[in-house]
Amino acid sequence: MAGPFKFGDDYVGALRLSKDSRKSVMSNRGRCLEVWDVQAQKLDVQKSTPDIHTGPTAPIFWTTQSKSIVAAFTFMDDYPTTIYEFDASTLQTVGAPFKDTFPIDGLALSSDCVLLASSSYHDTIKLWSFESRQLLASFDVKSLFTPHSLARLASTCLHDLG
């Protein structure tokens, strides 16, 4: 049985095990990343920035071969507005980052690591090509779901239940 793990001076906001469950990555508010060897209960590598005010904690992901980690992160005293790929053994950045203009509060990585989706506090969803880092589409959630369309959706769902 592994544990306990001591994560910096703060709480763990996001946690993900590698595919082989030998490594764990922990994140907090986009300002601290730690990679742990689960069996040895040993911190392998850490990257952190100065303490900031409370902000969003987006999910973190291992890529298909568990060689790198995808996370929203900030290198400044600010909310994370950029998504980085980090080498899992060094936490050095890999490739170009995915840049947003608003704080990122959600991430989803396809199981084949082809697509990355991000959401921000300002009601936008962006779809990216993971390999090329190209923005494929951007959706304004407020314009997709108006009060009228949400009422129709709710009515349709209730009708289907009834």
Side-chain angles (χ1 to χ4, degrees):
M1 179 82 168
F5 298 97
K6 171 85 170 104
F7 180 77
D9 295 327
D10 213 342
Y11 70 94
V12 174
L15 171 70
R16 185 76 57 167
L17 290 169
S18 62
K19 295 201 184 297
D20 63 8
S21 298
R22 293 179 183 199
K23 300 286 182 178
S24 173
V25 62
M26 301 176 202
S27 175
N28 178 341
R29 296 181 293 193
R31 67 166 188 84
C32 184
L33 284 175
E34 291 184 359
V35 177
W36 287 78
D37 181 306
V38 173
Q39 189 165 359
Q41 302 176 33
K42 176 182 163 285
L43 178 64
D44 283 348
V45 64
Q46 176 188 43
K47 181 177 284 291
S48 61
T49 57
D51 196 11
I52 63 169
H53 42 281
T54 301
T57 296
I60 47 182
F61 294 93
W62 290 90
T63 55
T64 52
Q65 301 299 317
S66 297
K67 302 248 186 244
S68 61
I69 297 160
V70 179
F73 196 81
T74 182
F75 289 97
M76 297 177 283
D77 185 13
D78 201 1
Y79 293 127
T81 58
T82 306
I83 304 161
Y84 294 94
E85 180 180 4
F86 295 97
D87 179 281
S89 62
T90 64
L91 291 182
Q92 296 298 312
T93 58
V94 176
F98 304 85
K99 294 186 180 236
D100 202 329
T101 52
F102 300 111
I104 297 165
D105 62 356
L107 290 176
L109 182 62
S110 64
S111 60
D112 56 5
C113 293
V114 171
L115 297 175
L116 176 70
S118 64
S119 63
S120 76
Y121 265 16
H122 291 277
D123 300 319
T124 58
I125 297 172
K126 294 186 178 184
L127 185 63
W128 310 83
S129 166
F130 185 72
E131 187 174 323
S132 71
R133 307 308 207 243
Q134 180 181 354
L135 179 63
L136 302 174
S138 183
F139 305 97
D140 180 358
V141 178
K142 283 185 181 177
S143 68
L144 290 175
F145 299 106
T146 64
H148 179 70
S149 68
L150 287 174
R152 284 185 48 194
L153 177 63
S155 174
T156 304
C157 291
L158 289 174
H159 177 71
D160 289 346
L161 290 174

